[in-house]
Amino acid sequence: MLKLYDLSGKNDLRFSPPCWIVKICLIHRQINFETEPVKFSEKSKIEFSNQQLVPVLRHQNGFVCDSWNIINWLDKNYNHKKIFQNLSSKNFSNFLHLWTSRQLLPILFKIIAHEIPNVLEGNDLDYFIRTREDRIKGPITCLLYTSDAAD
């Protein structure tokens, strides 16, 4: 059975859009899989993949990392309910994947980043705040949009 390593917060809340994409494809294709929750502080669970990001899909012969790579692997290895109908649909899907990853998700992150600490605890909370504030070069609270900002 396939095993999807999936980002998890407290109370087993799963909040990673790249992991959601993979789960949607697996469900659409009616492929049986199980998930393994991985908290920020549990990167040792995916050590076998030689990288530190989820999603990771473990299969009988190894593993695949990155949502786009996983989707392509699924399309190559499972013949029923293809994700891509032809090369044009695959190319357009790749465009949408890249656009949402590079344009839409950064904007969404700015809108919801201040809420993510509410679903984390302990070392995960500290890790998230430290790494994201390093990434945005400022405090997460500065990302809040208020009506005053529009004036």
mmCIF file with all atom_site columns, all heavy atoms in Angstrom, residues 123-142:
data_model
loop_
_atom_site.group_PDB
_atom_site.id
_atom_site.type_symbol
_atom_site.label_atom_id
_atom_site.label_alt_id
_atom_site.label_comp_id
_atom_site.label_asym_id
_atom_site.label_entity_id
_atom_site.label_seq_id
_atom_site.pdbx_PDB_ins_code
_atom_site.Cartn_x
_atom_site.Cartn_y
_atom_site.Cartn_z
_atom_site.occupancy
_atom_site.B_iso_or_equiv
_atom_site.pdbx_formal_charge
_atom_site.auth_seq_id
_atom_site.auth_comp_id
_atom_site.auth_asym_id
_atom_site.auth_atom_id
_atom_site.pdbx_PDB_model_num
ATOM 1   N N   . ASN A 1 123 ? 7.885  22.534 19.938 1.00 0.00 ? 123 ASN A N   1
ATOM 2   C CA  . ASN A 1 123 ? 8.988  22.785 19.015 1.00 0.00 ? 123 ASN A CA  1
ATOM 3   C C   . ASN A 1 123 ? 8.505  23.164 17.621 1.00 0.00 ? 123 ASN A C   1
ATOM 4   O O   . ASN A 1 123 ? 9.177  23.921 16.920 1.00 0.00 ? 123 ASN A O   1
ATOM 5   C CB  . ASN A 1 123 ? 9.897  21.559 18.923 1.00 0.00 ? 123 ASN A CB  1
ATOM 6   C CG  . ASN A 1 123 ? 10.646 21.298 20.209 1.00 0.00 ? 123 ASN A CG  1
ATOM 7   O OD1 . ASN A 1 123 ? 10.842 22.191 21.025 1.00 0.00 ? 123 ASN A OD1 1
ATOM 8   N ND2 . ASN A 1 123 ? 11.058 20.063 20.401 1.00 0.00 ? 123 ASN A ND2 1
ATOM 9   N N   . ASP A 1 124 ? 7.359  22.619 17.218 1.00 0.00 ? 124 ASP A N   1
ATOM 10  C CA  . ASP A 1 124 ? 6.822  22.956 15.901 1.00 0.00 ? 124 ASP A CA  1
ATOM 11  C C   . ASP A 1 124 ? 6.469  24.434 15.812 1.00 0.00 ? 124 ASP A C   1
ATOM 12  O O   . ASP A 1 124 ? 6.716  25.081 14.796 1.00 0.00 ? 124 ASP A O   1
ATOM 13  C CB  . ASP A 1 124 ? 5.584  22.121 15.587 1.00 0.00 ? 124 ASP A CB  1
ATOM 14  C CG  . ASP A 1 124 ? 5.915  20.660 15.371 1.00 0.00 ? 124 ASP A CG  1
ATOM 15  O OD1 . ASP A 1 124 ? 7.084  20.350 15.090 1.00 0.00 ? 124 ASP A OD1 1
ATOM 16  O OD2 . ASP A 1 124 ? 4.995  19.842 15.473 1.00 0.00 ? 124 ASP A OD2 1
ATOM 17  N N   . LEU A 1 125 ? 5.887  24.966 16.864 1.00 0.00 ? 125 LEU A N   1
ATOM 18  C CA  . LEU A 1 125 ? 5.522  26.378 16.904 1.00 0.00 ? 125 LEU A CA  1
ATOM 19  C C   . LEU A 1 125 ? 6.773  27.250 16.813 1.00 0.00 ? 125 LEU A C   1
ATOM 20  O O   . LEU A 1 125 ? 6.840  28.174 15.993 1.00 0.00 ? 125 LEU A O   1
ATOM 21  C CB  . LEU A 1 125 ? 4.741  26.683 18.184 1.00 0.00 ? 125 LEU A CB  1
ATOM 22  C CG  . LEU A 1 125 ? 4.347  28.130 18.417 1.00 0.00 ? 125 LEU A CG  1
ATOM 23  C CD1 . LEU A 1 125 ? 3.468  28.648 17.295 1.00 0.00 ? 125 LEU A CD1 1
ATOM 24  C CD2 . LEU A 1 125 ? 3.644  28.267 19.760 1.00 0.00 ? 125 LEU A CD2 1
ATOM 25  N N   . ASP A 1 126 ? 7.772  26.940 17.625 1.00 0.00 ? 126 ASP A N   1
ATOM 26  C CA  . ASP A 1 126 ? 9.023  27.704 17.589 1.00 0.00 ? 126 ASP A CA  1
ATOM 27  C C   . ASP A 1 126 ? 9.683  27.632 16.216 1.00 0.00 ? 126 ASP A C   1
ATOM 28  O O   . ASP A 1 126 ? 10.139 28.638 15.676 1.00 0.00 ? 126 ASP A O   1
ATOM 29  C CB  . ASP A 1 126 ? 9.994  27.196 18.660 1.00 0.00 ? 126 ASP A CB  1
ATOM 30  C CG  . ASP A 1 126 ? 9.465  27.362 20.068 1.00 0.00 ? 126 ASP A CG  1
ATOM 31  O OD1 . ASP A 1 126 ? 8.597  28.237 20.285 1.00 0.00 ? 126 ASP A OD1 1
ATOM 32  O OD2 . ASP A 1 126 ? 9.910  26.613 20.959 1.00 0.00 ? 126 ASP A OD2 1
ATOM 33  N N   . TYR A 1 127 ? 9.728  26.428 15.647 1.00 0.00 ? 127 TYR A N   1
ATOM 34  C CA  . TYR A 1 127 ? 10.345 26.221 14.333 1.00 0.00 ? 127 TYR A CA  1
ATOM 35  C C   . TYR A 1 127 ? 9.618  27.038 13.259 1.00 0.00 ? 127 TYR A C   1
ATOM 36  O O   . TYR A 1 127 ? 10.245 27.730 12.460 1.00 0.00 ? 127 TYR A O   1
ATOM 37  C CB  . TYR A 1 127 ? 10.312 24.736 13.975 1.00 0.00 ? 127 TYR A CB  1
ATOM 38  C CG  . TYR A 1 127 ? 10.757 24.450 12.559 1.00 0.00 ? 127 TYR A CG  1
ATOM 39  C CD1 . TYR A 1 127 ? 12.104 24.288 12.257 1.00 0.00 ? 127 TYR A CD1 1
ATOM 40  C CD2 . TYR A 1 127 ? 9.823  24.355 11.520 1.00 0.00 ? 127 TYR A CD2 1
ATOM 41  C CE1 . TYR A 1 127 ? 12.512 24.029 10.961 1.00 0.00 ? 127 TYR A CE1 1
ATOM 42  C CE2 . TYR A 1 127 ? 10.225 24.105 10.227 1.00 0.00 ? 127 TYR A CE2 1
ATOM 43  C CZ  . TYR A 1 127 ? 11.563 23.938 9.942  1.00 0.00 ? 127 TYR A CZ  1
ATOM 44  O OH  . TYR A 1 127 ? 11.965 23.691 8.655  1.00 0.00 ? 127 TYR A OH  1
ATOM 45  N N   . PHE A 1 128 ? 8.290  26.955 13.243 1.00 0.00 ? 128 PHE A N   1
ATOM 46  C CA  . PHE A 1 128 ? 7.519  27.662 12.225 1.00 0.00 ? 128 PHE A CA  1
ATOM 47  C C   . PHE A 1 128 ? 7.764  29.163 12.302 1.00 0.00 ? 128 PHE A C   1
ATOM 48  O O   . PHE A 1 128 ? 8.054  29.809 11.290 1.00 0.00 ? 128 PHE A O   1
ATOM 49  C CB  . PHE A 1 128 ? 6.020  27.373 12.372 1.00 0.00 ? 128 PHE A CB  1
ATOM 50  C CG  . PHE A 1 128 ? 5.190  28.138 11.383 1.00 0.00 ? 128 PHE A CG  1
ATOM 51  C CD1 . PHE A 1 128 ? 5.048  27.688 10.092 1.00 0.00 ? 128 PHE A CD1 1
ATOM 52  C CD2 . PHE A 1 128 ? 4.568  29.322 11.753 1.00 0.00 ? 128 PHE A CD2 1
ATOM 53  C CE1 . PHE A 1 128 ? 4.293  28.403 9.164  1.00 0.00 ? 128 PHE A CE1 1
ATOM 54  C CE2 . PHE A 1 128 ? 3.814  30.040 10.840 1.00 0.00 ? 128 PHE A CE2 1
ATOM 55  C CZ  . PHE A 1 128 ? 3.680  29.581 9.544  1.00 0.00 ? 128 PHE A CZ  1
ATOM 56  N N   . ILE A 1 129 ? 7.647  29.727 13.487 1.00 0.00 ? 129 ILE A N   1
ATOM 57  C CA  . ILE A 1 129 ? 7.821  31.172 13.632 1.00 0.00 ? 129 ILE A CA  1
ATOM 58  C C   . ILE A 1 129 ? 9.227  31.596 13.222 1.00 0.00 ? 129 ILE A C   1
ATOM 59  O O   . ILE A 1 129 ? 9.404  32.527 12.435 1.00 0.00 ? 129 ILE A O   1
ATOM 60  C CB  . ILE A 1 129 ? 7.482  31.633 15.066 1.00 0.00 ? 129 ILE A CB  1
ATOM 61  C CG1 . ILE A 1 129 ? 5.968  31.471 15.297 1.00 0.00 ? 129 ILE A CG1 1
ATOM 62  C CG2 . ILE A 1 129 ? 7.929  33.072 15.300 1.00 0.00 ? 129 ILE A CG2 1
ATOM 63  C CD1 . ILE A 1 129 ? 5.531  31.706 16.718 1.00 0.00 ? 129 ILE A CD1 1
ATOM 64  N N   . ARG A 1 130 ? 10.233 30.893 13.704 1.00 0.00 ? 130 ARG A N   1
ATOM 65  C CA  . ARG A 1 130 ? 11.626 31.244 13.389 1.00 0.00 ? 130 ARG A CA  1
ATOM 66  C C   . ARG A 1 130 ? 11.893 31.156 11.887 1.00 0.00 ? 130 ARG A C   1
ATOM 67  O O   . ARG A 1 130 ? 12.414 32.105 11.278 1.00 0.00 ? 130 ARG A O   1
ATOM 68  C CB  . ARG A 1 130 ? 12.580 30.337 14.157 1.00 0.00 ? 130 ARG A CB  1
ATOM 69  C CG  . ARG A 1 130 ? 14.046 30.603 13.868 1.00 0.00 ? 130 ARG A CG  1
ATOM 70  C CD  . ARG A 1 130 ? 14.980 29.710 14.694 1.00 0.00 ? 130 ARG A CD  1
ATOM 71  N NE  . ARG A 1 130 ? 14.553 28.330 14.822 1.00 0.00 ? 130 ARG A NE  1
ATOM 72  C CZ  . ARG A 1 130 ? 14.746 27.378 13.895 1.00 0.00 ? 130 ARG A CZ  1
ATOM 73  N NH1 . ARG A 1 130 ? 15.346 27.677 12.765 1.00 0.00 ? 130 ARG A NH1 1
ATOM 74  N NH2 . ARG A 1 130 ? 14.332 26.138 14.102 1.00 0.00 ? 130 ARG A NH2 1
ATOM 75  N N   . THR A 1 131 ? 11.530 30.046 11.264 1.00 0.00 ? 131 THR A N   1
ATOM 76  C CA  . THR A 1 131 ? 11.861 29.860 9.848  1.00 0.00 ? 131 THR A CA  1
ATOM 77  C C   . THR A 1 131 ? 11.046 30.775 8.944  1.00 0.00 ? 131 THR A C   1
ATOM 78  O O   . THR A 1 131 ? 11.569 31.293 7.953  1.00 0.00 ? 131 THR A O   1
ATOM 79  C CB  . THR A 1 131 ? 11.675 28.397 9.417  1.00 0.00 ? 131 THR A CB  1
ATOM 80  O OG1 . THR A 1 131 ? 10.324 27.991 9.651  1.00 0.00 ? 131 THR A OG1 1
ATOM 81  C CG2 . THR A 1 131 ? 12.648 27.488 10.147 1.00 0.00 ? 131 THR A CG2 1
ATOM 82  N N   . ARG A 1 132 ? 9.797  30.991 9.258  1.00 0.00 ? 132 ARG A N   1
ATOM 83  C CA  . ARG A 1 132 ? 8.974  31.846 8.396  1.00 0.00 ? 132 ARG A CA  1
ATOM 84  C C   . ARG A 1 132 ? 9.330  33.311 8.570  1.00 0.00 ? 132 ARG A C   1
ATOM 85  O O   . ARG A 1 132 ? 9.320  34.074 7.608  1.00 0.00 ? 132 ARG A O   1
ATOM 86  C CB  . ARG A 1 132 ? 7.485  31.619 8.640  1.00 0.00 ? 132 ARG A CB  1
ATOM 87  C CG  . ARG A 1 132 ? 6.916  30.271 8.176  1.00 0.00 ? 132 ARG A CG  1
ATOM 88  C CD  . ARG A 1 132 ? 7.835  29.497 7.292  1.00 0.00 ? 132 ARG A CD  1
ATOM 89  N NE  . ARG A 1 132 ? 7.282  28.260 6.789  1.00 0.00 ? 132 ARG A NE  1
ATOM 90  C CZ  . ARG A 1 132 ? 7.779  27.054 7.043  1.00 0.00 ? 132 ARG A CZ  1
ATOM 91  N NH1 . ARG A 1 132 ? 8.820  26.907 7.838  1.00 0.00 ? 132 ARG A NH1 1
ATOM 92  N NH2 . ARG A 1 132 ? 7.268  25.987 6.483  1.00 0.00 ? 132 ARG A NH2 1
ATOM 93  N N   . GLU A 1 133 ? 9.642  33.720 9.776  1.00 0.00 ? 133 GLU A N   1
ATOM 94  C CA  . GLU A 1 133 ? 10.071 35.108 9.964  1.00 0.00 ? 133 GLU A CA  1
ATOM 95  C C   . GLU A 1 133 ? 11.420 35.354 9.299  1.00 0.00 ? 133 GLU A C   1
ATOM 96  O O   . GLU A 1 133 ? 11.647 36.434 8.750  1.00 0.00 ? 133 GLU A O   1
ATOM 97  C CB  . GLU A 1 133 ? 10.075 35.472 11.446 1.00 0.00 ? 133 GLU A CB  1
ATOM 98  C CG  . GLU A 1 133 ? 8.672  35.606 11.995 1.00 0.00 ? 133 GLU A CG  1
ATOM 99  C CD  . GLU A 1 133 ? 8.598  36.077 13.434 1.00 0.00 ? 133 GLU A CD  1
ATOM 100 O OE1 . GLU A 1 133 ? 9.625  36.054 14.159 1.00 0.00 ? 133 GLU A OE1 1
ATOM 101 O OE2 . GLU A 1 133 ? 7.503  36.489 13.845 1.00 0.00 ? 133 GLU A OE2 1
ATOM 102 N N   . ASP A 1 134 ? 12.303 34.355 9.306  1.00 0.00 ? 134 ASP A N   1
ATOM 103 C CA  . ASP A 1 134 ? 13.561 34.480 8.556  1.00 0.00 ? 134 ASP A CA  1
ATOM 104 C C   . ASP A 1 134 ? 13.268 34.626 7.067  1.00 0.00 ? 134 ASP A C   1
ATOM 105 O O   . ASP A 1 134 ? 13.878 35.431 6.372  1.00 0.00 ? 134 ASP A O   1
ATOM 106 C CB  . ASP A 1 134 ? 14.456 33.261 8.776  1.00 0.00 ? 134 ASP A CB  1
ATOM 107 C CG  . ASP A 1 134 ? 15.132 33.240 10.137 1.00 0.00 ? 134 ASP A CG  1
ATOM 108 O OD1 . ASP A 1 134 ? 15.069 34.263 10.863 1.00 0.00 ? 134 ASP A OD1 1
ATOM 109 O OD2 . ASP A 1 134 ? 15.701 32.189 10.489 1.00 0.00 ? 134 ASP A OD2 1
ATOM 110 N N   . ARG A 1 135 ? 12.317 33.848 6.575  1.00 0.00 ? 135 ARG A N   1
ATOM 111 C CA  . ARG A 1 135 ? 11.979 33.840 5.152  1.00 0.00 ? 135 ARG A CA  1
ATOM 112 C C   . ARG A 1 135 ? 11.376 35.169 4.706  1.00 0.00 ? 135 ARG A C   1
ATOM 113 O O   . ARG A 1 135 ? 11.692 35.668 3.631  1.00 0.00 ? 135 ARG A O   1
ATOM 114 C CB  . ARG A 1 135 ? 10.996 32.703 4.875  1.00 0.00 ? 135 ARG A CB  1
ATOM 115 C CG  . ARG A 1 135 ? 10.740 32.476 3.408  1.00 0.00 ? 135 ARG A CG  1
ATOM 116 C CD  . ARG A 1 135 ? 9.821  31.304 3.180  1.00 0.00 ? 135 ARG A CD  1
ATOM 117 N NE  . ARG A 1 135 ? 10.428 30.066 3.640  1.00 0.00 ? 135 ARG A NE  1
ATOM 118 C CZ  . ARG A 1 135 ? 9.798  28.906 3.735  1.00 0.00 ? 135 ARG A CZ  1
ATOM 119 N NH1 . ARG A 1 135 ? 8.520  28.833 3.411  1.00 0.00 ? 135 ARG A NH1 1
ATOM 120 N NH2 . ARG A 1 135 ? 10.416 27.833 4.143  1.00 0.00 ? 135 ARG A NH2 1
ATOM 121 N N   . ILE A 1 136 ? 10.496 35.744 5.537  1.00 0.00 ? 136 ILE A N   1
ATOM 122 C CA  . ILE A 1 136 ? 9.836  36.994 5.138  1.00 0.00 ? 136 ILE A CA  1
ATOM 123 C C   . ILE A 1 136 ? 10.556 38.239 5.665  1.00 0.00 ? 136 ILE A C   1
ATOM 124 O O   . ILE A 1 136 ? 10.139 39.349 5.393  1.00 0.00 ? 136 ILE A O   1
ATOM 125 C CB  . ILE A 1 136 ? 8.359  37.014 5.579  1.00 0.00 ? 136 ILE A CB  1
ATOM 126 C CG1 . ILE A 1 136 ? 8.245  36.982 7.099  1.00 0.00 ? 136 ILE A CG1 1
ATOM 127 C CG2 . ILE A 1 136 ? 7.586  35.891 4.915  1.00 0.00 ? 136 ILE A CG2 1
ATOM 128 C CD1 . ILE A 1 136 ? 6.852  37.246 7.620  1.00 0.00 ? 136 ILE A CD1 1
ATOM 129 N N   . LYS A 1 137 ? 11.605 38.017 6.413  1.00 0.00 ? 137 LYS A N   1
ATOM 130 C CA  . LYS A 1 137 ? 12.438 39.118 6.958  1.00 0.00 ? 137 LYS A CA  1
ATOM 131 C C   . LYS A 1 137 ? 11.639 40.045 7.864  1.00 0.00 ? 137 LYS A C   1
ATOM 132 O O   . LYS A 1 137 ? 11.751 41.255 7.782  1.00 0.00 ? 137 LYS A O   1
ATOM 133 C CB  . LYS A 1 137 ? 13.078 39.926 5.835  1.00 0.00 ? 137 LYS A CB  1
ATOM 134 C CG  . LYS A 1 137 ? 13.794 39.115 4.793  1.00 0.00 ? 137 LYS A CG  1
ATOM 135 C CD  . LYS A 1 137 ? 15.236 38.908 5.132  1.00 0.00 ? 137 LYS A CD  1
ATOM 136 C CE  . LYS A 1 137 ? 16.021 38.282 4.008  1.00 0.00 ? 137 LYS A CE  1
ATOM 137 N NZ  . LYS A 1 137 ? 16.037 36.850 4.011  1.00 0.00 ? 137 LYS A NZ  1
ATOM 138 N N   . GLY A 1 138 ? 10.817 39.462 8.722  1.00 0.00 ? 138 GLY A N   1
ATOM 139 C CA  . GLY A 1 138 ? 10.034 40.252 9.653  1.00 0.00 ? 138 GLY A CA  1
ATOM 140 C C   . GLY A 1 138 ? 9.065  39.375 10.416 1.00 0.00 ? 138 GLY A C   1
ATOM 141 O O   . GLY A 1 138 ? 8.949  38.188 10.142 1.00 0.00 ? 138 GLY A O   1
ATOM 142 N N   . PRO A 1 139 ? 8.375  39.989 11.372 1.00 0.00 ? 139 PRO A N   1
ATOM 143 C CA  . PRO A 1 139 ? 7.436  39.195 12.174 1.00 0.00 ? 139 PRO A CA  1
ATOM 144 C C   . PRO A 1 139 ? 6.187  38.796 11.389 1.00 0.00 ? 139 PRO A C   1
ATOM 145 O O   . PRO A 1 139 ? 5.723  39.531 10.522 1.00 0.00 ? 139 PRO A O   1
ATOM 146 C CB  . PRO A 1 139 ? 7.083  40.128 13.337 1.00 0.00 ? 139 PRO A CB  1
ATOM 147 C CG  . PRO A 1 139 ? 7.366  41.497 12.824 1.00 0.00 ? 139 PRO A CG  1
ATOM 148 C CD  . PRO A 1 139 ? 8.474  41.361 11.821 1.00 0.00 ? 139 PRO A CD  1
ATOM 149 N N   . ILE A 1 140 ? 5.686  37.622 11.703 1.00 0.00 ? 140 ILE A N   1
ATOM 150 C CA  . ILE A 1 140 ? 4.482  37.120 11.047 1.00 0.00 ? 140 ILE A CA  1
ATOM 151 C C   . ILE A 1 140 ? 3.311  38.068 11.273 1.00 0.00 ? 140 ILE A C   1
ATOM 152 O O   . ILE A 1 140 ? 2.490  38.272 10.389 1.00 0.00 ? 140 ILE A O   1
ATOM 153 C CB  . ILE A 1 140 ? 4.150  35.702 11.541 1.00 0.00 ? 140 ILE A CB  1
ATOM 154 C CG1 . ILE A 1 140 ? 5.167  34.735 10.942 1.00 0.00 ? 140 ILE A CG1 1
ATOM 155 C CG2 . ILE A 1 140 ? 2.746  35.283 11.160 1.00 0.00 ? 140 ILE A CG2 1
ATOM 156 C CD1 . ILE A 1 140 ? 5.037  33.325 11.422 1.00 0.00 ? 140 ILE A CD1 1
ATOM 157 N N   . THR A 1 141 ? 3.243  38.685 12.420 1.00 0.00 ? 141 THR A N   1
ATOM 158 C CA  . THR A 1 141 ? 2.119  39.579 12.709 1.00 0.00 ? 141 THR A CA  1
ATOM 159 C C   . THR A 1 141 ? 2.064  40.758 11.748 1.00 0.00 ? 141 THR A C   1
ATOM 160 O O   . THR A 1 141 ? 1.014  41.336 11.536 1.00 0.00 ? 141 THR A O   1
ATOM 161 C CB  . THR A 1 141 ? 2.176  40.115 14.156 1.00 0.00 ? 141 THR A CB  1
ATOM 162 O OG1 . THR A 1 141 ? 3.455  40.723 14.355 1.00 0.00 ? 141 THR A OG1 1
ATOM 163 C CG2 . THR A 1 141 ? 1.960  38.992 15.128 1.00 0.00 ? 141 THR A CG2 1
ATOM 164 N N   . CYS A 1 142 ? 3.189  41.114 11.128 1.00 0.00 ? 142 CYS A N   1
ATOM 165 C CA  . CYS A 1 142 ? 3.199  42.209 10.155 1.00 0.00 ? 142 CYS A CA  1
ATOM 166 C C   . CYS A 1 142 ? 2.454  41.849 8.894  1.00 0.00 ? 142 CYS A C   1
ATOM 167 O O   . CYS A 1 142 ? 2.161  42.706 8.064  1.00 0.00 ? 142 CYS A O   1
ATOM 168 C CB  . CYS A 1 142 ? 4.632  42.581 9.777  1.00 0.00 ? 142 CYS A CB  1
ATOM 169 S SG  . CYS A 1 142 ? 5.495  43.429 11.101 1.00 0.00 ? 142 CYS A SG  1
#
